[in-house]
Every structure is written in structure tokens, then in C-alpha cells.
Amino acid sequence: MGAAACAEPGPGGPLTGPSPAFRPPRDDFPILSRPVNGQPLVWLDSAASAQKPRIVLDAMRTFAETHYANVHRGVHGLGHAATEAYEAARNRVAAFIGAAAADEVVFVRGATEAINLVAASFGRSTLRAGDEIVLTELEHHANIVPWQLLREASGVVLRVVPIGDDGTVSLDDLRATLGTRTRLVAVAHVSNVLGTVLPVAEIARLAHAAGARLLVDGCQAVPGRPVDVTALGADFYVFSAHKMYGPTGIGVLWGRRELLAAMPPWQGGGEMIASVSFERTTFKKPPYRFEAGTPPIIEAIGLAAACDYLAGLGLAGIAAHEQALRACAVERLRAVPGLRLLAAEGPGERAGILSFIIDGVHPHDIATVLDTAGIAIRAGHHCAQPLMRRLGVAATARASFGLYNTSADVDALAEGLMRVREVFG
Ligand code: PLP
């Protein structure tokens, strides 16, 4: 990427990012105006959790102040109003991800719970000992451990597609891993460590040609690029609201209607039943069959507001903005002595996530020194220990860009890393 990647600034003045078509709406995010350690906050940890715009916070507060009740229960007016708002939220989420119908959207606690749901329900009911589940080497633990638990319970076999040195997953390697016993392929849409964007539409075609289903972990994709689950051809797609500028405590399992309809419940309790006696219980249709107990009601309102917010800003513009910030950061960080970018470049698209190490400096020390300058990055294994092993490191420092970041944030990061070098010699 040439010098143009860091060209400053576009028509929007100093708040403009390196992609002149997109103006980061920083004023929408109250937290960005608070200092940290006496410095302006530079939030480069959106891949762990994104900050919340006022419109999301206001939507939840207004709902709680004016419409709040439990849902699907009360015959009182507020009960109806809350149920309507909750189901309207489901509709808005469905439209946001291109689902064919709202009943394909199951509200869960987050992506982790969504994958556990699929493993416990689809996995236990349809997979037999010796059936194979194909993962890639770059998966988050949330897309590894539930399948290992299933392996212990059902004897399924896990097969892993290796990644290349550039952090990409090759379709040839996937083809070579698929076999006659493959029943499920489960892959990240975007790596939470390297930003690699996996070719999930092609992966769907290969998985289906092999007679397997495809689950996509969209945690790092939904916040920063247009996602149409139907067009992608996936069978399950999961994500968490808190990474897409929404609240914690809610996420989504999207599943094809016919698959969800054939899946048994995985948790039992109130609201997921049609009738209960001590002899026998019958269950509601999806999505309610999978939403036992009181759901995250206020959070659903917040998630829908986050969808509307992102749709209003335009996901294509956000994607271009974050890619441009990443390209700018690659260029700036290369100038830091002793800094090594990890699998940062190669064919295919990259989202706004970048991992690096500095010779002789532990990633936690990098993050600690940056924090003194108000710059928040993540250091650690990022819940991707198999990927760390593949990269030959125990941990990385990771900068991740959100829609509110600017090229000034990239400058701050580059300067902060120079300071790290000074501190550690
Ligand atoms: N998958 C990916 C790619 C992630 O980045 C994360 C969170 O870091 C998860 C799954 C788990 O998300 P949650 O903790 O919100 O369930």
C-alpha cells in the first residue's frame, strides 16, 4: 500500500479518516470524549467490544422508561407493547442480515451461546460417531470448544484446514479436508486476530457440494461489512451485538428455517413450550423453542437500534473506511524499528484488524505503555491459541479499527509504539 493510504485529510476536516467518502461520526459516541490517563481516548479495541452510540443507549433507556414489561406473557397493555417492540426488533435484525424471515432469527446471549446451541441441538441430534466437522486454524475458541464438547459426547471427528503464512485459508486446502463423512463446516467470516476475510460464499458452495452444512461465525464481520446471510449461502450465521455497537448480553443465531424447524430444544423452561404436563412437554416453533426463559428484552431493542444505526451510515462505506485505516496503519507501523506485523498482507480482503509483535517486548508491556497515552489496544492470545501456535507466538498486540477511528488514531498508535521502543530500548 503506497503513501496514499495515509493521505490526510479529506473534505471533512480533521475528523475525516483516510477514506474521504466516510466521515467518522465521533460525536455519536459519548465515551470518546472522556480522557484516559489524562489523554484523549484512542479506542483501538473494537474487535473485543465496540463503543456504544448515543442512539443505542437512548433506545434502550426510552424503552425501559416507557414500554418495559416481560414479553409474550402479560395481557396488560405494557406486556403487549413490550412484545411488539421485541418482535419488531427481531424483524429489524432479520432485515439487516438479509434473512428470509424473522423466525429465522433466534436471540441468544452472544455468538458463543449461538455456537453452543447449534452444537447441542443440531450436533447432538444429527451427527453420529465418525461424522466430521471441518474448522480452520484461525478460529476463535468459541468456534472450537463447543465442537470438542460435542466430540466427547458423540464421537464426531474434528478436522482442521491449515492457514497459509499470509493468514489466508485456501479453497484447495479446504477441498482436501472435506470428505465423505463431512457433515458440518464451521468457519469465521473474519479472523479476530489477522482481519483475514474468508471467502464464505465459495466455502458454502464447497461445503454443500460435499453434502455438509455451513456455520459462519460472523462476530467480526457484521460490524464492518454488508452481510446478507441468504446470499452467502450459509446454513447458520452467528454474531454478538456488543461488537456491532450494540449492548452486551445479546447475540443472534440465524438459521435456515427448515434446519431450525428440525432441531430439538437445547434448554428447557418458560416460554419455549406449547404445553407441559408431568408426562410430556411439547415445544413451540422456532425461534421461541430456542428462547427458554425471559429473553434479553431491553438488549434486543438496543441491538435493533445498532442495526438501524449501521444501516443508516452504510456498511460499504464503513468497510472501506476501516480497510483504509488498516492499510494506513500497516504503512506507519512498518517504520517502527523491531516491529513485526503478523500475516498482515496477502491476497484477498482484510478487515480493520492488525496483529503485531515487537522484538524483546511482551505484548502486555506494549499495551500497558500505550495505555499511559490513552491508547487502548488488546494484548494476549485473543481466544485463538491454535492460531498463536501457528504464528509461532504466545501472544500478539492487536489494534482493531471501528467506524469512529480516524487517521489521527493511527498516528497516535504509531507515535505510541515509538515511545514503547524508547522505554524498552
Ligand atoms: N468469534 C469471534 C471471531 C470473536 O471475535 C468473538 C469474540 O471475541 C467470539 C466469537 C465470541 O463472542 P462473544 O464472547 O460475544 O460470545
Side-chain angles (χ1 to χ4, degrees):
M1 190 54 68
C6 287
E8 266 292 345
L15 290 185
T16 302
S19 164
F22 184 82
R23 187 174 157 79
R26 292 180 63 84
D27 291 346
D28 292 350
F29 293 81
I31 203 169
L32 295 181
S33 57
R34 68 151 284 188
V36 168
N37 290 326
Q39 308 287 330
L41 171 61
V42 177
W43 186 254
L44 296 175
D45 198 16
S46 295
S49 208
Q51 299 299 348
K52 320 300 173 200
R54 197 174 282 106
I55 205 163
V56 166
L57 304 171
D58 287 350
M60 291 194 292
R61 186 183 177 90
T62 303
F63 173 77
E65 286 179 351
T66 60
H67 286 75
Y68 183 72
N70 210 330
V71 294
H72 300 135
R73 286 162 173 80
V75 291
H76 45 67
L78 277 184
H80 284 303
T83 302
E84 261 173 37
Y86 179 71
E87 292 304 329
R90 196 190 305 276
N91 274 300
R92 280 148 75 194
V93 173
F96 181 71
I97 58 169
D103 60 9
E104 294 186 333
V105 170
V106 181
F107 286 136
V108 289
R109 210 154 49 85
T112 302
E113 187 170 277
I115 299 174
N116 278 278
L117 190 169
V118 176
S121 173
F122 172 82
R124 285 183 191 228
S125 64
T126 62
L127 304 187
R128 302 283 163 260
D131 285 347
E132 292 177 1
I133 298 176
V134 169
L135 311 174
T136 80
E137 214 171 4
L138 55 66
E139 300 308 317
H140 187 281
H141 297 166
N143 197 26
I144 300 173
V145 183
W147 309 117
Q148 291 175 328
L149 296 178
L150 180 64
R151 177 170 65 188
E152 273 155 39
S154 309
V156 296
V157 174
L158 304 188
R159 303 196 62 192
V160 181
V161 185
I163 59 162
D165 290 340
D166 57 9
T168 58
V169 174
S170 107
L171 294 176
D172 285 341
D173 287 340
L174 172 64
R175 248 184 236 108
T177 314
L178 294 170
T180 53
R181 293 297 302 268
T182 310
R183 298 284 175 269
L184 181 71
V185 176
V187 299
H189 194 164
V190 170
S191 161
N192 66 311
V193 176
L194 304 175
T196 323
V197 182
L198 274 69
V200 283
E202 285 86 346
I203 293 174
R205 275 191 278 282
L206 290 181
H208 292 156
R213 302 290 183 187
L214 174 66
L215 178 144
V216 179
D217 170 0
C219 264
Q220 301 294 346
V222 173
R225 61 198 44 252
V227 169
D228 183 320
V229 291
T230 308
L232 281 179
D235 297 294
F236 300 106
Y237 196 100
V238 308
F239 54 98
S240 293
H242 70 97
K243 294 184 195 284
M244 53 181 289
Y245 312 95
T248 51
I250 188 166
V252 169
L253 163 63
W254 169 83
R256 283 190 188 282
R257 181 186 259 167
E258 66 278 12
L259 286 175
L260 292 179
M263 283 162 50
W266 78 306
Q267 290 179 338
E271 281 313 302
M272 45 81 74
I273 55 91
S275 73
V276 178
S277 71
F278 281 111
E279 288 69 42
R280 180 158 181 267
T281 292
T282 57
F283 304 109
K284 281 186 179 156
K285 289 189 179 140
Y288 309 110
R289 184 189 300 167
F290 302 110
E291 294 180 2
T294 299
I297 305 165
I298 299 175
E299 291 80 358
I301 305 306
L303 167 56
C307 291
D308 291 350
Y309 179 68
L310 289 173
L313 289 174
L315 269 302
I318 294 171
H321 174 68
E322 292 177 8
Q323 275 165 2
L325 285 173
R326 185 185 190 280
C328 173
V330 165
E331 187 181 313
R332 296 293 308 271
L333 268 52
R334 273 219 194 88
V336 178
L339 186 146
R340 183 152 66 88
L341 294 165
L342 295 168
E345 285 173 293
E349 225 186 311
R350 302 287 170 126
I353 299 174
L354 196 56
S355 268
F356 54 92
I357 54 174
I358 296 182
D359 290 339
V361 187
H362 193 282
H364 283 151
D365 292 331
I366 300 176
T368 304
V369 173
L370 290 178
D371 183 51
T372 61
I375 303 164
I377 63 157
R378 169 110 187 251
H381 56 61
H382 316 291
C383 299
Q385 286 184 345
L387 175 56
M388 294 297 113
R389 239 164 261 131
R390 170 66 177 86
L391 296 171
V393 295
T396 79
R398 178 187 73 184
S400 52
F401 302 101
L403 60 87
Y404 30 61
N405 289 119
T406 66
S407 50
D409 295 336
V410 177
D411 291 344
L413 175 66
E415 281 154 25
L417 290 169
M418 288 300 210
R419 171 97 188 104
V420 171
R421 283 257 45 125
E422 282 162 32
V423 170
F424 289 93

